[in-house]
Every structure is written in C-alpha cells, then in structure tokens.
Amino acid sequence: MTLSKVVYVLDLESGNLRSLYNALTKLGYSVKWIKTPSDGLDDAEILLFPGVGNFGHVLSALQNRGFVEPLKAYIASGRRIMGICVGMQALFRGSTESPGVEGLGIIPADLKKFDDTAKSVPHIGWNSAKVNGLENKGIYGLRPESKYYYVHSYCAPVEAPIEQGWTVAIGDYNGEAFAGAVCKGNVFATQFHPEKSGVAGLRVLKAFLEGEQLTELSNEAAKGTPGLTKRIIACLDVRTNDDGDLVVTKGDQYDVREKGATANAGGKVRNLGKPVEMAERYYLEGADEVTFLNITSFRNCPLADTPMLEILRKTSETVFVPLTIGGGIRDMVDPDGSKISALDVASTYFRSGADKVSIGSDAVIAAEEYYSRNGKLSGETAMETISKAYGAQAVVISVDPKRVYVDSPRDTKHSTVKTSYKGPNGEEYAWYQCTIKGGRETRDLDVIQLVTAVEKMGAGEILLNCIDKDGTNSGFDLELIQSVKDAIRIPVIASSGAGNPEHFYQVFKKTTTDAALGAGMFHRAEYKVSDVKNYLKEKGLLVRSESELIL
Ligand code: 1PR
C-alpha cells in the first residue's frame, strides 16, 4: 500500500493542535485539517483524532459537526485512525466525567476518575505505556522503558479492552493501572500526547504513520520501570530589556536588574539569552517541560503583537515537550479599547503552541472575591472559563508569596508554619503572604487561602514560587511546599531557590512535590538539566532518561 504523505487531522478547535502539526511536519507529513466530514473525510487513508479537555465537550463537538456516524463508518471501512488523549477516550462507551454522554462505543467500557485519596489528580507527567503479553515486542514503536507525557484526570480500564481482543499498553499511577494506549486492527489510540512526549512520542507517531504495527524490541528496550517520573522543569522569565529586545532574565528576589554603581541606581535588565534558543537547549538537555513567564505582563500591550506569541510559535516547532506560558492571562482591554476575555487571551496562546497557561495576579484577585462571596463561585473567573473550555490540566496558578514572621500563630488569622528558620527577631512562626504584579503589591491573603480557592475554581496545577528564595541558590522553601501539598489534591511544582542538583533531590525527598523547577542555575550554565536528572537517577529517583533524544 503506497502511503500518502498527507495526514488528515480532525480539528475540533480544542487545545494545542499546533504542536501536533509541528510534530507531523518534522516527520515529513503534510496535514489536511478536517473541521466537518465534508472537508475530505472520504479521501482520508490515515486519520488522527486529537481531543483535549472535557469528554462531554469533545463528544458534543463531534455531534454538532456531524462526525459521529461518518467516524464510525470510517473505522468500519478498515482505514487507519489514531486517537490522542480525549480522542482515545471518545472510542469508549462513556465517562464519569460527563454522565449521560455517549462515546463512540467502539470499546464497550467506561472511563472513571483516578482515585485522588493518596495522589495528585490530574495525572500530569511522564509515565509508562507497557504493552501487555507481547514479550520483546512493541505496538507502534512503544517501548517499556520509555516515558510518555500524560495529562488527564479520567482513565480507561485495562481489563475490559483486553477481554474484547484489544492490545493494551498499561500505565501505572501509584498502583492504579490504566490504559496508556489501545490497539486493535485499524484502530490505535494513546491516552498520552505523542506530540508532547519528546522523541519517544515522535517514534510512536512515525511508526503509526508508516504502518509499523509490531516492532521488535532489544532486550534493553524491553526493560523499564513503571510509574510516574519526577518532573524537572526549566523556567524562562522573559521581558524586554532597556534596548527593547526580548530577553531571558532572572530576578534576585524578583529584582531583575544588575546591581547598579550606587545602591539606588538600578543597573540594566539582566540579559541571560534568547528565549527560543534557551528553550531548545533545555529540551535537548532533557527538560520535561518548559515554562515562559512574561514578567512585565502587568503593562498592557496589544494581544495580537504580544511578543510571547512568536516565541511560542517558534519554540513549538522544535521543542516537543509541554510548554506553559504565564504573564498577563486575564481579562484585558487592548490599547484600541477592545475588550478581550482571559479565555480569548488563553485561546490565542493555545493556538500559538502553548499547552498550559499560568495565571498569577488575576488568581489572587479572584480568590479575594471568592472569599468575599463566602466561597461562592462566580463561574466567570479566568480559572473557571479556561478550565471549562480546555480542561483543568491547561490551567496553572503561579503563586508569588513572601514570608511574614510572627511570634505565635495567635498573632495572625493566616495559616502559619512552625519554621526551622527563625525570623530576624527570633520569630518561630511564619505565614506566606500572596502578592500580585510580580511581588510589587502584597495582599491580605495567604497561600493556603489562594490554592484552596483556585482548586475549587478548576485550576489543574500550582506553580509555587517563593520571593524570599527566588534567585538565591539556597534551595527550595520546603516548609512552604509541604504546607501547600497538604492543603490541596492538584499537583504542585516547587519553584525558587534551586542552585544545584542536590536541592532537587532534597525537595523530592523531603516533600511530596510532584515537580521541581529551576531557572537561574540553568541560565547561568552552572548546571545542565541533564546534570540534575543524572544526579536524581543515581540517587534512585525515577526520572525520564534523555536517551530518548534520538529518533
Ligand atoms: O501576574 O498573571 O501577569 O503573571 C506574572 C508572572 O511573572 C508570574 O508567574 C510571576 O511569578 C512572574 N514574575 C513577575 N515578576 C517576576 C520577577 O522576577 N520580577 N518571575 C516574575 C517570578 C518565578 C520563576 C523563577 C523561579 C525560579 N519568577 O519564574 O524563575 O522562582 O528561580 P530560581 O531557580 O532562579 O531561583 P501575572
């Protein structure tokens, strides 16, 4: 069968399709987008069905565009189809995420939510997809030792598809087995995102597109430790410098200017390099995710020419791991006076290649208003509207707290920690005060109030910075991190203070954080991302190996 180099892709206008386009382009395929069946579904030899966000949303999008029957007919015709993420879930009968909504029913079984009593949900990060029962064989390039990027709260069962003759690649999330991929005849589908799973994911896409269903595995490749890895994230604070160039900078407790000749003569904005080049360097070093933060976002500028959009477009062409963009995600008024909702701002970033958006200041304001309404949701906050449209996993909350020392918990209404690092006057307790505008304004809200509120608003993850630790190379604030982890069920990214690989080991050993982020130590080339990952591997922690960089 001569394979056309054209891949047909269902475009339900949800989530980040640009990265899938970039992955297919890198593999030498051109893309034909299909928004309705009449866009050429009958001509398709190979069809990709990417789906992001809510099960019910994706199924209604299929229904509204008249895809349900044509898609079932396409599958019955024996032509090949690959579902991705909710595109795999849609093949099932239904999901507890959207009671009463019918899936395509190709696999008569139902999805359910992960058990979150002892682990974070959504399941975000790099996990296995180990094919059952096929010794030393992989389905479509899947390898037991490889890790793939998952981001979902609902999971497909393993037993039911196997009983119905499907080959299932199994993932293990803290002891809870789930279907990482399913395959039977002309149908293949992955819960993980192959376009965001580095070279391991590209290998799976390539094998499917080339029709290599069964792949022999070397003894080495047939090994592999199941389970979710510790995520290492590289973070780039971006702003224009005094010459107007967009540069990667780094704060020292959020002060990004070189120390000036005199105490108050602030020097130039630190220029640590170009955003796209540095992101690509970190990807090649094995970063599991890359985060861009536009740190002068509080200055309004026309969304259309937000320089961050071009950075995302360029970066997503060569960096095949999840990209998060933060800074300025809020309802805004363009300088020409037009109102743009936070959802529109986020959608623009998703269309430009972002997988997640990070909300800072706006989340603090929304939390204050949430408490002023005695814990009643408005349904209109950026968190609620973006997670409703794109799924909780697409919404990260960036927290910029400052330590406030008190002698006793009785001295404040806020949640305190008993600290091992006494205050300037010997205080033994501290609480963490929220700030907005990059630490320029403090608010009468503590970190636990903030993260509790935004979790209720549908946020999927917390990026937990710490102004006191930022840029100090003194290690993470372990007390802050564990106090937040104890308060919520969604994943937490520890941030601020990393100065060497041991700091990453300490935060994973002494707290239950799900991920850890570094910035300055990477930008100043004191360490590579791979130095951190190799160190953690030697210490016995499960990390994604960067040997996955060779297709
Ligand atoms: O408030 O929604 O517009 O978002 C603004 C975003 O920009 C927030 O995510 C906020 O954290 C960030 N931000 C604003 N000002 C600064 C600054 O530095 N002047 N960056 C800033 C905060 C946090 C991380 C940092 C880690 C690790 N930086 O990006 O890199 O703390 O640093 P380290 O490993 O070098 O210690 P909005």
Side-chain angles (χ1 to χ4, degrees):
M1 171 175 70
T2 50
L3 285 176
S4 64
K5 293 294 274 184
V6 176
V7 191
Y8 287 66
V9 182
L10 240 56
D11 177 1
L12 303 176
E13 290 171 45
S14 80
N16 167 12
L17 292 177
R18 176 179 285 270
S19 296
L20 181 58
Y21 171 81
N22 290 332
L24 294 169
T25 306
K26 180 170 176 74
L27 294 172
Y29 288 81
S30 59
V31 173
K32 171 96 172 84
W33 298 105
I34 300 211
K35 292 184 190 289
T36 63
S38 57
D39 284 347
L41 184 60
D42 294 343
D43 309 330
E45 292 168 2
I46 303 178
L47 179 67
L48 296 188
F49 174 13
V52 175
N54 178 288
F55 180 86
H57 274 206
V58 171
L59 268 300
S60 6
L62 283 181
Q63 194 73 41
N64 300 341
R65 293 164 184 256
F67 267 119
V68 174
E69 292 316 317
L71 213 43
K72 288 180 182 174
Y74 177 94
I75 292 172
S77 74
R79 287 174 288 166
R80 293 193 298 121
I81 181 171
M82 178 177 177
I84 297 173
C85 195
V86 184
M88 167 175 140
Q89 297 186 356
L91 299 174
F92 284 74
R93 183 173 50 206
S95 171
T96 56
E97 179 174 28
S98 313
V101 175
E102 272 185 37
L104 295 173
I106 309 295
I107 304 176
D110 298 311
L111 294 120
K112 65 176 180 51
K113 191 166 186 176
F114 277 115
D115 173 9
D116 68 356
T117 44
K119 58 182 183 287
S120 304
V121 174
H123 170 230
I124 297 183
W126 297 78
N127 208 327
S128 317
K130 218 164 165 173
V131 178
N132 72 312
L134 287 174
E135 290 320 308
N136 279 13
K137 282 195 177 58
I139 292 285
Y140 289 124
L142 284 172
R143 293 182 179 178
E145 94 284 13
S146 289
K147 295 293 181 182
Y148 304 93
Y149 183 73
Y150 291 90
V151 55
H152 59 125
S153 301
Y154 292 80
C155 59
V158 169
E159 296 74 20
I162 290 177
E163 284 155 16
Q164 288 140 36
W166 290 76
T167 299
V168 177
I170 301 168
D172 171 281
Y173 184 23
N174 288 24
E176 188 168 5
F178 63 93
V182 294
C183 178
K184 185 178 175 183
N186 59 318
V187 183
F188 175 54
T190 63
Q191 175 60 67
F192 59 82
H193 283 268
E195 78 284 7
K196 304 305 296 187
S197 297
V199 172
L202 294 177
R203 185 182 296 123
V204 170
L205 266 179
K206 183 171 183 287
F208 173 74
L209 294 170
E210 293 174 359
E212 274 176 43
Q213 188 173 54
L214 269 183
T215 43
E216 294 295 326
L217 297 174
S218 67
N219 288 332
E220 187 51 36
K223 293 190 192 101
T225 312
L228 190 65
T229 67
K230 299 297 183 191
R231 267 183 290 157
I232 307 303
I233 299 171
C235 184
L236 298 93
D237 291 0
V238 180
R239 62 160 286 167
T240 44
N241 65 7
D242 303 314
D243 307 327
D245 303 320
L246 211 51
V247 299
V248 175
T249 187
K250 185 66 210 86
D252 174 1
Q253 298 183 39
Y254 285 40
D255 175 0
V256 296
R257 289 189 175 276
E258 302 292 3
K259 294 292 168 268
T262 60
N264 54 8
K268 297 184 80 165
V269 170
R270 272 185 207 97
N271 177 352
L272 298 173
K274 294 189 185 311
V276 176
E277 286 167 18
M278 290 174 76
E280 191 168 274
R281 181 176 100 209
Y282 297 141
Y283 166 62
L284 295 173
E285 288 177 3
D288 294 319
E289 294 186 26
V290 173
T291 296
F292 293 107
L293 295 180
N294 171 4
I295 67 170
T296 49
S297 56
F298 58 92
R299 294 181 194 149
N300 249 350
C301 77
L303 176 65
D305 65 11
T306 305
M308 299 304 286
L309 294 177
E310 190 50 26
I311 285 180
L312 275 171
R313 290 185 194 113
K314 279 268 170 257
T315 303
S316 64
E317 287 171 5
T318 57
V319 174
F320 297 101
V321 293
L323 301 178
T324 300
I325 176 77
I329 310 290
R330 67 173 74 88
D331 293 343
M332 63 193 288
V333 178
D334 247 4
D336 68 6
S338 51
K339 287 193 173 144
I340 302 179
S341 71
L343 178 58
D344 290 339
V345 174
S347 299
T348 306
Y349 279 123
F350 290 134
R351 279 195 299 275
S352 299
D355 300 279
K356 302 190 251 186
V357 291
S358 160
I359 303 168
S361 308
D362 201 42
V364 173
I365 305 302
E368 289 171 348
E369 290 167 357
Y370 167 78
Y371 288 111
S372 69
R373 287 193 305 270
N374 297 319
K376 192 168 171 309
L377 292 173
S378 72
E380 287 152 16
T381 63
M383 280 64 61
E384 292 165 282
T385 53
I386 299 169
S387 63
K388 188 159 177 273
Y390 290 97
Q393 82 292 335
V395 182
V396 180
I397 305 301
S398 175
V399 184
D400 297 318
K402 269 182 180 158
R403 267 193 174 214
V404 177
Y405 285 100
V406 288
D407 287 320
S408 152
R410 289 186 301 280
D411 295 343
T412 175
K413 65 182 178 185
H414 291 293
S415 306
T416 56
V417 295
K418 188 167 185 348
T419 178
S420 312
Y421 311 97
K422 290 191 176 142
N425 306 310
E427 301 92 332
E428 294 189 347
Y429 292 88
W431 62 280
Y432 293 93
Q433 181 169 27
C434 293
T435 70
I436 60 173
K437 294 180 184 165
R440 290 169 182 80
E441 196 178 313
T442 54
R443 308 293 291 199
D444 184 24
L445 187 80
D446 66 61
V447 157
I448 303 306
Q449 289 173 302
L450 174 62
V451 297
T452 307
V454 295
E455 183 179 43
K456 291 214 175 27
M457 292 178 206
E461 194 167 39
I462 301 293
L463 167 54
L464 183 56
N465 303 304
C466 173
I467 294 180
D468 309 82
K469 284 291 207 172
D470 178 64
T472 62
N473 284 4
S474 60
F476 296 95
D477 186 329
L478 305 179
E479 295 167 344
L480 162 66
I481 294 157
Q482 197 53 49
S483 68
V484 167
K485 273 298 291 179
D486 292 341
I488 53 176
R489 309 291 340 121
I490 57 178
V492 171
I493 301 166
S495 168
S496 298
N500 57 50
E502 175 64 16
H503 288 151
F504 283 84
Y505 179 63
Q506 288 303 318
V507 77
F508 285 122
K509 281 311 277 180
K510 294 184 176 170
T511 78
T512 53
T513 190
D514 304 270
L517 175 151
M521 66 184 267
F522 298 141
H523 304 342
R524 294 186 297 269
E526 291 152 5
Y527 292 94
K528 291 182 178 175
V529 175
S530 43
D531 296 331
V532 171
K533 299 189 91 173
N534 292 335
Y535 184 83
L536 295 179
K537 209 170 177 178
E538 283 157 23
K539 289 279 192 179
L541 295 190
L542 186 58
V543 290
R544 175 175 72 104
S545 78
E546 51 285 355
S547 62
E548 297 291 7
L549 293 177
I550 320 298
L551 188 51

